[in-house]
Amino acid sequence: MRILHASWQAAARAKVADIHSRIPKAWVLSDIDLEKARKQRKLTGPFIEQYLDDNEKEIISEDSVRLVEKIKKHENNCLHEVMFDLALQIASELDEYIAENGTVKGPLHGLPISLKDQFHVKGYDTTMGYVGWIGTHEGSPDPARVHRIDSQVVTELLSLGAVLFCKTSLPQTLLLGETVNNIIGTTLNPVNRHLSCGGSSGGEGALQALRGSSVGLGTDIEGGSVRIPAAFCGTYSLKPTHNRLSYRDVANTNPGQDTYASSVGVMGTSIDAAKLVFTSILSTSPWLRDPNVVKMPWDKDSETSMLRRTDADGFAQDIPLKIGIYWTDGVVTPHPPVKRGLRIIRDTLQDMKHKVVGWDPPSQTTAKRVHVAFLKADGGHDVHKQLDLSGEPLIPPLQGAFQLRDPIPLLEYQDLTLQGKAYNETYYDYWNSTSNDDGQLVDAVVMPVAPHAAVIPGKFYHTAYTESINLMDFSAAVIPVTRADKSVDVFDHGYQPLNDSAVFLRYTNLNFEDDADTYDGAPVGLQIVARKWEEEKVWAIAKILDTALKNRSEEIDR
């Protein structure tokens, strides 16, 4: 039975009021300051820092690794849950631990960590963007479960000394590359509020861009959910193959679909932050508590062997890196800022005497078609089951794709499984063929996360650049490369469209020439992709590239 339309709106308003009530009054900006913020294009940097004292500025300028080291030495609407009381309680307990034991509790001792609102924390809601989940456990009113469950990875973080302090926004259903729900509305990009922060881990990206968090956990399911926000907001992320970290007791959309399952990933303000949290969680042996997690500790030798192929500045040593560049998927050519970002990576690698080759794999159109079919295989029944709890409507961007329909037949589902399997095998055959010319396999591929730098809200039409990687369950990292610059990224008037498909026509209407002012200053992040279970390799290559970009004398302000 559907609840009256007004009821879900009242529930959403009450939830927002509850979030605001948990923020200490001394920290709340005045109406005048809030109005100033609404008129700002860019909230990051000087604007947000005017409200901080020197000590606070110093803290937010540090990345996660430096914050932890200092502790060891005793030194935009993006929130769904404010857990400051819990954070202060944890911090107090950690201080007592040091006083009693003379050492830190673990490698994350005292490090504030934010969480995407899929992770359960005792005492707090997990809404996953659904109004009907407010005050429940994933929609269930069972008092034995409501606010009484910690996700396994939350328990692991707490055991490592982490300070959990907030849960960040995500889109209703998770199945969107932007962050919109009926509880708090739309989360915009604080670097450029004319653009989206991405999704589905968009709140994490936005909060980290504001330096409100140096590291946090997200998930990657829809087709780039920790990669898209990092690329759009100018931050970093590490997406592992699924079941490298535990998904036990983590809320999810359509959880019975695990042919192409979601991954828990790490997002941060530095590439080192991603490794710090990822390796710390692995050090707890999560496979002992979650039977789905692969017993695979962090392979330090694999990481070291990659790093030793360059000197400290990234120049090739005995065996240069061999990196593929994926210039276009043949459906939507990247906008000028993204193409420039790819050229920056190519030029940087070549300057450092590494090998760079073009990348021409099997068409990602097939991968996207199969992946989307699995996401919609249940006919939207899981999504509508959650909507019916409150009577809320689907958010506008999803109203076409997730109207209720019959689930696909079993034989069709099995055929899609075989198509996905065949695509993976063909892709592996192509990757293995890259050694034919010189005896050396491509180590990783650098490719766009999207055809654009961030995206104008409501106009994210093409997700194949990330979705294909989900189909193959590859390891991937995102690093910031540059920013859109309307004076440099000039539209090519000689450009000829690759095709006249509906997707391309949508992007023609979103012509970069017309929207160059809107995109100006938007971060451009690119993804570095390796094969399954190669998180150590992809992290090491991301580290090498990030260091090299920072060392470039002509480096653009990132």
Side-chain angles (χ1 to χ4, degrees), residues 189 191 197-202 204-206 208-209 224-238 266-269 449 454 477-481 523-526:
N189 192 324
V191 181
C197 65
S200 62
S201 307
E204 280 297 313
Q208 290 172 18
S225 299
V226 300
R227 288 165 288 155
I228 293 168
F232 285 9
C233 294
T235 59
Y236 300 78
S237 69
L238 178 62
V266 186
M267 302 172 66
T269 57
V449 169
V478 166
I479 61 172
V481 176
V524 176
L526 297 174

Side-chain angles (χ1 to χ4, degrees), residues 261-277:
S262 179
S263 300
V264 173
V266 186
M267 302 172 66
T269 57
S270 69
I271 194 65
D272 291 326
K275 178 191 169 188
L276 171 66
V277 172

Side-chain angles (χ1 to χ4, degrees), residues 381-395:
H381 282 259
D382 177 70
V383 167
H384 283 269
K385 176 184 175 182
Q386 315 312 330
L387 297 176
D388 286 345
L389 293 170
S390 68
E392 67 170 309
L394 273 168
I395 54 175

Side-chain angles (χ1 to χ4, degrees), residues 195-496:
L195 302 175
S196 168
C197 65
S200 62
S201 307
E204 280 297 313
L207 185 65
Q208 290 172 18
L210 286 165
R211 306 296 295 199
S213 172
S214 68
V215 68
L217 292 190
T219 63
D220 202 299
I221 176 174
E222 184 270 337
S225 299
V226 300
R227 288 165 288 155
I228 293 168
F232 285 9
C233 294
T235 59
Y236 300 78
S237 69
L238 178 62
K239 183 207 88 70
T241 297
H242 90 277
N243 287 337
R244 189 86 198 258
L245 299 182
S246 174
Y247 224 104
R248 184 173 180 177
D249 287 321
V250 177
N252 204 357
T253 191
N254 198 7
Q257 191 288 106
D258 63 356
T259 304
Y260 298 109
S262 179
S263 300
V264 173
V266 186
M267 302 172 66
T269 57
S270 69
I271 194 65
D272 291 326
K275 178 191 169 188
L276 171 66
V277 172
F278 194 87
T279 57
S280 295
I281 294 172
L282 287 180
S283 74
T284 70
S285 303
W287 47 85
L288 297 178
R289 296 171 294 282
D290 184 344
N292 294 307
V293 174
V294 175
K295 185 179 180 180
M296 192 175 179
W298 183 263
D299 188 347
K300 185 66 176 177
D301 290 341
S302 176
E303 173 200 335
T304 301
S305 68
M306 290 303 303
L307 294 175
R308 284 179 176 170
R309 288 168 63 180
T310 73
D311 65 16
D313 295 320
F315 284 85
Q317 298 291 74
D318 294 338
I319 304 175
L321 300 177
K322 185 175 180 180
I323 304 295
I325 303 287
Y326 192 44
W327 297 100
T328 177
D329 66 357
V331 178
V332 178
T333 297
H335 278 176
V338 179
K339 291 167 69 175
R340 180 165 58 84
L342 290 168
R343 290 195 300 271
I344 290 171
I345 292 291
R346 177 200 61 193
D347 295 347
T348 300
L349 286 165
Q350 290 178 339
D351 289 347
M352 298 187 303
K353 310 305 180 185
H354 295 290
K355 297 180 182 180
V356 180
V357 298
W359 192 250
D360 187 24
S363 172
Q364 292 192 162
T365 302
T366 301
K368 179 180 178 181
R369 176 181 57 78
V370 173
H371 190 256
V372 168
F374 273 93
L375 295 180
K376 299 164 68 173
D378 77 330
H381 282 259
D382 177 70
V383 167
H384 283 269
K385 176 184 175 182
Q386 315 312 330
L387 297 176
D388 286 345
L389 293 170
S390 68
E392 67 170 309
L394 273 168
I395 54 175
L398 298 178
Q399 288 177 359
F402 285 94
Q403 288 300 319
L404 194 62
R405 56 177 63 90
D406 291 335
I408 66 173
L410 176 60
L411 293 181
E412 183 179 339
Y413 192 93
Q414 291 178 336
D415 183 61
L416 282 167
T417 303
L418 294 176
Q419 291 180 49
K421 180 174 180 288
Y423 181 85
N424 271 271
E425 291 168 349
T426 304
Y427 206 102
Y428 266 70
D429 289 343
Y430 170 75
W431 199 308
N432 291 333
S433 75
T434 62
S435 65
N436 291 347
D437 292 337
D438 59 3
Q440 183 178 353
L441 284 170
V442 162
D443 291 299
V445 183
V446 178
M447 60 178 68
V449 169
H452 34 63
V455 69
I456 295 172
K459 295 186 177 182
F460 197 163
Y461 303 124
H462 190 65
T463 56
Y465 284 103
T466 49
E467 202 145 15
S468 59
I469 306 309
N470 286 77
L471 184 92
M472 294 177 289
D473 206 11
F474 281 172
S475 309
V478 166
I479 61 172
V481 176
T482 187
R483 292 180 185 267
D485 184 339
K486 65 181 180 181
S487 66
V488 175
D489 301 311
V490 181
F491 182 75
D492 180 5
H493 291 279
Y495 170 73
Q496 294 295 317

